Amino acid sequence: MMMRRVITQCGRACAPLRRTAIPTRAFSTADFIGRLENELKGIEEAGTWKKERVIVSSQESEITVSSGSHVLNFCANNYLGLSNDPRVNEAAKRTIDNRGFGLSSVRFICGTQDIHIALEEAIAKFHNMDAAILYPSCFDANAGLFEQILGPEDAVISDALNHASIIDGIRLCKAQRHRYSHNDMTHLEEILKDTHTSARNRLIVTDGVFSMDGDIAPLKEICDLAEKYDAQVFVDDCHGTGFFGATGRGSPEYAGVEDKITIINSTLGKALGGATGGYTVGPKAVIDLLRQRARPYLFSNSITPCVAGASLEVFKILTESSELVEKLQKNVVQFRTQMKAAGFTLSGADTHAIAPVMLGDARLASNFSDAMLEKGIYVIGFSYPVVPKGQARIRVQLSASHTPEQVQKAIDAFIEVGKDMGVIN
């Protein structure tokens, strides 16, 4: 190999340099794409391929799919039926006329309008907390929270089945990380005892309602343990806010612990109109710190004016009446009672609008949902990696916009397909 000496500016010779051969690329682009194609083939062969059905109408209890068929939708997060409510739509239109379509800015530059401030105040009042901060989504709210309020001296204690966004948010922080078995209060207490002297602050983190199973966090017991061991409690209540509890204040209201929860993260993208946007609500010091440091807040555009205006109308509807909450609960009782009587296995709480019909096999769940669509019922099969292997299901979600007749039609279709496929007798 050819070598040469290098002379510096001062005339002194440096050690000789060797020419290093450029290594041959180990994998070509074709190899890379080929590997991904093989992975995709494996997903398809396992029966876990997720197809996106195309809707060509607004989101309601009855929708139109791309084939032109009119079907009943039983898999939306549209728990209160507000996604196409005329009052909400009109509020969005008015706001576009008065405040425009977008803001082309983050909040701290020129992206804060009066309606954003009003919405944050309405959210805080709804939850009976000090203050609130808006994000583009609750995924962003979870990504922005833990890194800012917890340091290496603190501990975060998380339920094993918490949502992926909570898990990702916790990964961003430097706190000691602990995980307790799902809804296992004995295990949680063991961790609280173990960290009692080793951590400055302990934050217990849980979903209020676990979206894949429809089961509810035992918030009363969690808050009792938090009080006993001087810890704080965080709840992600995306599948509770607006429709769960007597007046729709979510899982804390359902458990009777509204005054014992430190921080709540939730979404505008499910029961509260179903568009987009998330938020954190809690003590003023927490919210002020997030406004100064939370990266998803500082580096993401403001939610659009029409979403803010429409969401203000949603909170007005919820504070004036609990009629939609009560109607939804009747639909939940009707569906769950008759499905269980027919022989189906349903997971989750009997009081919640998420009613997973457990089938076990991924391909069975996929075929079952296709057969339901042919009978005019739009539902989706969930399988690994969304849920654990061997626990495939069809997650039914009831809405206040469903009529009793529509709920009955869904039940009848489940029974017919269930018998055809040997799921029930």
Side-chain angles (χ1 to χ4, degrees):
M1 179 179 291
M2 188 176 74
M3 299 172 59
R4 64 187 177 90
R5 298 181 71 81
V6 177
I7 308 300
T8 65
Q9 287 183 340
C10 64
R12 297 176 64 181
C14 295
L17 297 176
R18 295 179 180 272
R19 289 185 178 179
T20 304
I22 298 174
T24 304
R25 291 175 63 186
F27 294 97
S28 66
T29 300
D31 293 328
F32 170 66
I33 298 299
R35 177 176 64 78
L36 299 184
E37 287 175 342
N38 286 334
E39 201 163 321
L40 292 169
K41 184 179 179 181
I43 294 172
E44 195 164 10
E45 289 174 349
T48 58
W49 185 272
K50 296 162 191 64
K51 294 175 277 189
E52 295 182 0
R53 297 171 179 168
V54 179
I55 300 171
V56 294
S57 66
S58 56
Q59 183 68 276
E60 300 182 67
S61 59
E62 183 174 334
I63 57 176
T64 306
V65 293
S66 56
S67 65
S69 300
H70 300 283
V71 295
L72 297 179
N73 190 354
F74 279 86
C75 61
N77 296 316
N78 188 22
Y79 297 110
L80 294 176
L82 294 175
S83 294
N84 195 40
D85 186 282
R87 297 166 292 182
V88 178
N89 290 351
E90 185 57 36
K93 293 174 186 176
R94 285 197 310 268
T95 310
I96 285 182
D97 291 340
N98 297 328
R99 297 292 187 276
F101 173 67
L103 284 163
S104 303
S105 175
V106 299
R107 286 284 298 271
F108 79 93
I109 298 179
C110 58
T112 298
Q113 293 178 321
D114 53 348
I115 52 177
H116 293 95
I117 301 299
L119 178 56
E120 288 171 337
E121 290 174 350
I123 291 168
K125 184 177 180 180
F126 183 77
H127 289 283
N128 195 27
M129 288 192 169
D130 293 348
I133 181 173
L134 290 165
Y135 289 90
S137 70
C138 190
F139 205 113
D140 287 316
N142 284 334
L145 177 68
F146 306 103
E147 182 182 15
Q148 304 309 329
I149 66 170
L150 300 173
E153 308 91 344
D154 304 313
V156 58
I157 309 170
S158 180
D159 188 287
L161 293 188
N162 276 338
H163 190 268
S165 61
I166 298 175
I167 296 170
D168 286 356
I170 289 173
R171 285 172 176 164
L172 293 172
C173 80
K174 294 180 172 63
Q176 307 163 34
R177 301 173 200 167
H178 303 270
R179 186 173 67 174
Y180 63 94
S181 300
H182 178 51
N183 281 348
D184 187 336
M185 296 299 97
T186 301
H187 192 196
L188 173 58
E189 185 167 18
E190 289 173 0
I191 296 173
L192 286 167
K193 287 179 180 177
D194 290 344
T195 58
H196 192 54
T197 58
S198 63
R200 178 180 58 182
N201 296 115
R202 276 91 50 77
L203 183 66
I204 303 170
V205 174
T206 184
D207 277 309
V209 178
F210 295 85
S211 61
M212 282 299 117
D213 291 296
D215 57 337
I216 304 164
L219 290 183
K220 174 66 168 61
E221 291 80 359
I222 289 174
C223 289
D224 287 345
L225 287 173
E227 188 172 353
K228 181 178 179 180
Y229 293 99
D230 194 26
Q232 288 75 49
V233 180
F234 162 89
V235 176
D236 180 316
D237 213 27
C238 286
H239 289 276
T241 301
F243 67 96
F244 199 46
T247 65
R249 264 64 178 181
S251 55
E253 180 184 43
Y254 179 82
V257 294
E258 289 179 275
D259 59 338
K260 296 184 178 181
I261 306 299
T262 310
I263 303 168
I264 294 174
N265 277 6
S266 196
T267 181
L268 304 174
K270 293 183 170 59
L272 305 181
T276 187
Y279 59 83
T280 297
V281 61
K284 184 177 184 300
V286 170
I287 303 307
D288 286 348
L289 184 63
L290 294 176
R291 213 176 288 281
Q292 296 301 313
R293 291 183 176 174
R295 293 162 70 87
Y297 177 81
L298 293 172
F299 299 106
S300 296
N301 265 20
S302 307
I303 65 169
T304 62
C306 62
V307 169
S311 298
L312 279 167
E313 181 66 23
V314 168
F315 281 103
K316 178 183 176 184
I317 292 169
L318 293 180
T319 54
E320 289 178 347
S321 171
S322 299
E323 179 183 356
L324 294 175
V325 176
E326 294 164 3
K327 185 178 179 184
L328 172 59
Q329 193 55 42
K330 290 178 181 178
N331 290 342
V332 170
V333 171
Q334 179 184 355
F335 183 83
R336 281 184 166 273
T337 301
Q338 292 193 41
M339 287 290 285
K340 286 186 175 182
F344 286 101
T345 299
L346 272 62
S347 72
D350 286 338
T351 53
H352 199 272
I354 296 175
V357 181
M358 304 303 293
L359 298 172
D361 181 72
R363 195 175 299 278
L364 171 62
S366 178
N367 293 339
F368 200 113
S369 67
D370 290 341
M372 289 289 287
L373 187 62
E374 292 176 4
K375 295 186 179 298
I377 306 298
Y378 189 115
V379 289
I380 296 291
F382 286 82
S383 56
Y384 181 82
V386 179
V387 296
K389 288 183 179 180
Q391 296 184 29
R393 69 204 59 187
I394 289 177
R395 185 182 69 173
V396 174
Q397 290 167 281
L398 284 303
S399 171
S401 64
H402 290 133
T403 66
E405 293 76 21
Q406 289 173 334
V407 175
Q408 193 60 53
K409 182 176 179 180
I411 295 168
D412 293 342
F414 264 106
I415 292 172
E416 188 175 344
V417 174
K419 288 180 177 179
D420 290 344
M421 293 191 171
V423 176
I424 59 173
N425 298 321

